[in-house]
Amino acid sequence: PFWGKTNKMVKRMGERVREHIKAQGAKAVAIEDANKDAGTFYWAEHDPLGKAAKHVPQVTVEKAGQARTATITVPHGMDWSGGSKHVIDALFVRDQTGKLIHFREFNEEDTAQPSSSFTVPKDVTAVTAYEHCNLHGLWKSALVPLPDAELR
């Protein structure tokens, strides 16, 4: 009974997040705000649902010359089928100051494990990755220091 109520509550929060996104236009901010308001902001050490292994975004960074490329992956399946839809619908990244530096939204064409790569701006010294699961809310990585970051 408890988990049934919890699953219904999480689904309602997901609907609330999507409505908030449509209304605001600033998608990453809307996802964060709606989840903070609903109390569904999770990370590895705060995992009341026991879902961290498949939801906490993983960050890798490769350096080629002066350019750094970050790749965000989430070890989560993408099931877009009918009423049982269970997907990661967005990934985004903030720098050490909280500035949004990357955002990717997923749709029905995205069936592989969620992943997104981007060139890291030169002044970025660390990143935090976020993902939103339509059933289990917003999850974030730890703050990840970047190699050879240029300090101002």
Side-chain angles (χ1 to χ4, degrees):
F2 171 75
W3 285 111
K5 288 179 183 177
T6 301
N7 287 338
K8 286 179 184 177
M9 182 178 70
V10 169
K11 284 183 182 180
R12 282 195 304 268
M13 286 186 280
E15 291 166 3
R16 183 175 167 204
V17 168
R18 284 188 290 283
E19 289 171 5
H20 194 73
I21 287 170
K22 288 177 185 175
Q24 296 298 318
K27 292 182 179 183
V29 173
I31 288 171
E32 279 184 313
D33 288 349
N35 278 274
K36 284 178 187 174
D37 291 346
T40 58
F41 201 82
Y42 306 116
W43 56 96
E45 294 79 21
H46 175 68
D47 181 18
L49 303 176
K51 303 287 184 183
K54 291 193 176 192
H55 288 85
V56 174
Q58 300 168 357
V59 180
T60 57
V61 180
E62 293 183 14
K63 187 171 183 215
Q66 295 298 315
R68 295 173 295 164
T69 301
T71 300
I72 312 304
T73 57
V74 181
H76 189 287
M78 298 289 270
D79 179 6
W80 293 95
S81 60
S84 63
K85 182 168 89 166
H86 186 188
V87 296
I88 303 305
D89 50 26
L91 292 176
F92 59 97
V93 180
R94 293 192 176 278
D95 70 7
Q96 69 280 358
T97 67
K99 178 181 174 187
L100 181 67
I101 59 171
H102 180 71
F103 180 84
R104 177 168 179 202
E105 190 170 21
F106 295 93
N107 60 42
E108 289 85 0
E109 295 173 8
D110 298 305
T111 57
Q113 176 176 303
S115 179
S116 189
S117 297
F118 65 99
T119 301
V120 179
K122 290 183 179 182
D123 61 342
V124 173
T125 60
V127 297
T128 302
Y130 299 79
E131 68 90 343
H132 182 258
C133 173
N134 72 310
L135 296 181
H136 300 114
L138 186 67
W139 293 77
K140 72 175 185 174
S141 71
L143 181 67
V144 178
L146 301 180
D148 300 316
E150 292 184 16
L151 299 175
R152 287 184 172 192

